[in-house]
Amino acid sequence: MSQGLTSRQKEIVEYLKERQRSTGFMPSTREIQHYFGFASQTAAMSHLRALEKKGVIQRLAGKARAVVFPEDLDREEIVDIPIYGEIAAGMSQDAEPERRGCLSIDITSLGIPRNARTFALKVRGDSMIDAHICSGDTVILEFREPRNNDIVAALIDGETTLKRYITDKGRPFLRAENIDFPDLIPARELIIQGVLVALLRQAA
């Protein structure tokens, strides 16, 4: 398919593929414009139209980032994320993971890569309200190593909780986003079960 493409068109195709691999979704025409230094978004759109005529991409109506590769159209974007019960956004509590159904979500719309290993938990408690996480919300978490200041689901000394992960002089602990709750400093163990990547809230 690359035969018949200009060098610029090949560069754009490679850029689209790289962004899709690294972020899980396509760049906007403005991002394409800025990356290649085009004078306007119209120039970026002209290149996309030329690639569409050559069958390299397809543009979909009604989507902000309306570019796909034809070979991707058969891929399933909707994934089932398991819900493992509740987690305390308060004082930590004993809890065994228990699957309670699943969420069917277009993860690319949330900016989550297709290959991410995710799960969901219902929030109970108000220790994270200053991070705009309320009791009754559903948090989607990814199995990965945390970075400093990530919000995490954690097992601390045998109990589970949802808190912010902090490292101070190489020593990790958990911090609430509510001044009424103390920091949680592990006496024996701190195991990160997942890192927050999305938040869902039902309309009142």
Side-chain angles (χ1 to χ4, degrees):
M1 185 68 70
S2 61
Q3 293 91 349
L5 297 183
T6 66
S7 58
R8 175 62 81 190
Q9 288 170 351
K10 290 178 183 178
E11 290 173 355
I12 292 174
V13 170
E14 284 306 308
Y15 173 65
L16 295 177
K17 289 182 176 180
E18 189 279 327
R19 285 296 303 276
Q20 186 182 52
R21 282 192 301 267
S22 62
T23 68
F25 52 89
M26 289 290 189
S28 66
T29 53
R30 185 173 296 279
E31 289 168 334
I32 295 170
Q33 172 198 348
H34 288 170
Y35 183 84
F36 288 98
F38 296 143
S40 67
Q41 283 181 261
T42 303
M45 293 174 64
S46 295
H47 282 290
L48 293 178
R49 280 195 292 268
L51 289 172
E52 184 178 29
K53 287 180 180 179
K54 293 181 178 181
V56 179
I57 63 170
Q58 289 188 30
R59 295 189 301 153
L60 306 177
K63 286 192 174 183
R65 298 171 186 267
V67 176
V68 296
F69 292 106
E71 60 267 26
D72 291 341
L73 287 175
D74 294 332
R75 291 185 183 177
E76 189 61 71
E77 292 186 342
I78 304 298
V79 299
D80 290 332
I81 298 177
I83 302 174
Y84 289 123
E86 295 184 340
I87 190 166
M91 300 306 292
S92 56
Q93 63 172 16
D94 291 314
E96 288 294 325
E98 177 187 352
R99 183 161 178 162
R100 299 183 182 177
C102 64
L103 294 170
S104 295
I105 292 179
D106 177 0
I107 58 172
T108 58
S109 68
L110 299 177
I112 304 173
R114 287 189 180 90
N115 60 354
R117 295 170 56 228
T118 54
F119 65 101
L121 295 167
K122 288 281 189 182
V123 176
R124 184 166 54 81
D126 58 2
S127 72
M128 298 299 288
I129 56 174
D130 289 339
H132 309 290
I133 300 174
C134 303
S135 191
D137 290 347
T138 299
V139 288
I140 299 175
L141 303 111
E142 180 182 356
F143 292 106
R144 65 170 173 81
E145 288 296 315
R147 295 183 292 267
N148 191 37
N149 284 320
D150 278 344
I151 293 174
V152 300
L155 183 68
I156 180 169
D157 297 331
E159 299 184 328
T160 60
T161 189
L162 185 75
K163 294 288 185 290
R164 191 174 295 280
Y165 177 83
I166 303 292
T167 55
D168 181 28
K169 298 179 181 177
R171 301 188 64 181
F173 64 95
L174 301 178
R175 174 166 291 163
E177 291 288 344
N178 182 333
I179 60 173
D180 294 332
F181 290 81
D183 292 339
L184 298 178
I185 300 171
R188 299 184 307 276
E189 65 176 359
L190 175 60
I191 300 172
I192 304 306
Q193 299 170 314
V195 176
L196 179 73
V197 292
L199 174 73
L200 302 178
R201 177 171 298 154
Q202 290 185 341

